[in-house]
């Protein structure tokens, strides 16, 4: 089954390392940007020496934390040789639902708020870390699905990045910016599933190869 390296990053961590990264996320929710290696070691019940051994330095720890959070967004497993319309639809819906669940979590909201704040003040590197290991890495996770859909004759587009941005926008709408600005928006699992379904159908309406073909037939009639 096709899986990207980014999707397996979280699985490469030991349970103990995952617990440390969860401790980082919980501290961000509680304390914001005032994160120190000492505070993480205390919360995770480990030594600072262990943190430096596992993650290198504070930026290394933050990078691993962002990668751990982003690893929860998956594009599904599929056999490229037998990729069909059903696998494409399920992969898109699964990705959209995963992403909405992750961005709506208190941990992602805290992480992104701190990243934006540091990017604006140039006080720390979390903004660039989130961008590289969050949004960009997640894009690389879905693009193989889009390319597989095009190769299978299910999708029609010229540029994979543009197609990804379209789907990303359809799935997220204004949800993330509202949450970051303090909206008390709460998404139930049913609402997330409905949003993921809607985004998938809208994307297939725009980029589905069969729809493009039927449109060309009508225009030539």
């Amino acid at each position: 089954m096709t899986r990207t390296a980014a999707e397996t990053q979280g699985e490469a961590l030991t349970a103990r390392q995952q617990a440390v990264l969860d401790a980082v996320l919980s501290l961000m929710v509680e304390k914001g940007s005032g994160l120190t290696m000492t505070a993480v070691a205390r919360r995770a019940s480990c030594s600072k020496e262990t943190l430096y051994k596992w993650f290198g330095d504070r930026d290394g720890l933050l990078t691993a934390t962002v990668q751990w959070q982003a690893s929860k967004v998956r594009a599904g497993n599929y056999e490229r040789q037998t990729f069909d319309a059903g696998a494409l639809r399920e992969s898109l819906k699964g990705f959209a639902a995963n992403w909405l669940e992750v961005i709506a979590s208190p941990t992602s909201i805290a992480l992104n708020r701190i990243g934006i704040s540091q990017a604006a003040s140039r006080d720390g590197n979390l903004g660039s870390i989130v961008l590289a290991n969050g949004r960009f890495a997640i894009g690389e996770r879905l693009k193989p699905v889009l390319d597989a859909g095009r190769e299978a004759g299910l999708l029609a587009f010229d540029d994979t990045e543009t197609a990804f941005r379209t789907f990303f926008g359809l799935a997220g709408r204004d949800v993330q910016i509202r949450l970051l600005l303090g909206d008390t928006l709460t998404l139930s699992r049913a609402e997330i599933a409905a949003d993921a379904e809607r985004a998938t159908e809208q994307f297939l309406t725009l980029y589905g190869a069969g729809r493009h073909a039927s449109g060309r037939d009508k225009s030539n009639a």
Side-chain angles (χ1 to χ4, degrees), residues 111-152:
L111 189 60
N112 285 308
R113 281 177 176 165
I114 298 168
I116 291 169
S117 174
Q118 289 192 1
S121 65
R122 300 186 184 278
D123 179 25
N125 299 318
L126 186 58
S128 59
I129 290 171
V130 169
L131 191 59
N133 297 280
R135 158 62 178 87
F136 290 158
I138 287 172
E140 294 308 310
R141 204 164 301 168
L142 185 66
K143 286 177 184 178
V145 174
L146 301 179
D147 287 336
R150 179 168 58 179
E151 290 172 12

Side-chain angles (χ1 to χ4, degrees), residues 29-109:
V29 173
E30 295 172 19
K31 301 183 181 301
S33 59
L35 186 76
T36 65
M37 298 293 268
T38 299
V40 173
R42 185 179 299 115
R43 174 62 61 90
S45 299
C46 69
S47 68
K48 287 198 295 183
E49 289 74 19
T50 297
L51 294 180
Y52 286 117
K53 177 182 177 181
W54 283 345
F55 305 108
D57 56 14
R58 186 174 181 275
D59 278 357
L61 177 63
L62 291 173
T63 298
T65 301
V66 175
Q67 290 174 343
W68 169 232
Q69 184 71 355
S71 72
K72 299 166 187 175
V73 183
R74 298 177 177 270
N77 300 329
Y78 57 89
E79 296 291 347
R80 204 174 186 99
Q81 295 81 1
T82 58
F83 196 62
D84 58 15
L88 173 62
R89 181 173 271 102
E90 289 307 307
S91 293
L92 292 174
K93 286 195 300 183
F95 176 91
N98 280 173
W99 185 64
L100 286 169
E101 287 176 0
V102 169
I103 66 168
S105 68
T107 50
S108 278
I109 294 171

Side-chain angles (χ1 to χ4, degrees), residues 171-215:
R173 297 172 294 130
D174 64 344
V175 170
Q176 190 171 37
I177 188 63
R178 287 172 61 187
L179 290 169
L180 291 176
L181 292 175
D183 193 337
T184 55
L185 176 67
T186 301
L187 296 176
S188 67
R189 286 189 176 274
E191 289 170 325
I192 286 175
D195 284 348
E197 175 83 32
R198 179 168 51 249
T200 298
E201 293 309 316
Q202 290 171 341
F203 180 79
L204 293 176
T205 296
L206 290 170
Y207 289 101
R211 296 175 189 269
H212 281 262
S214 64

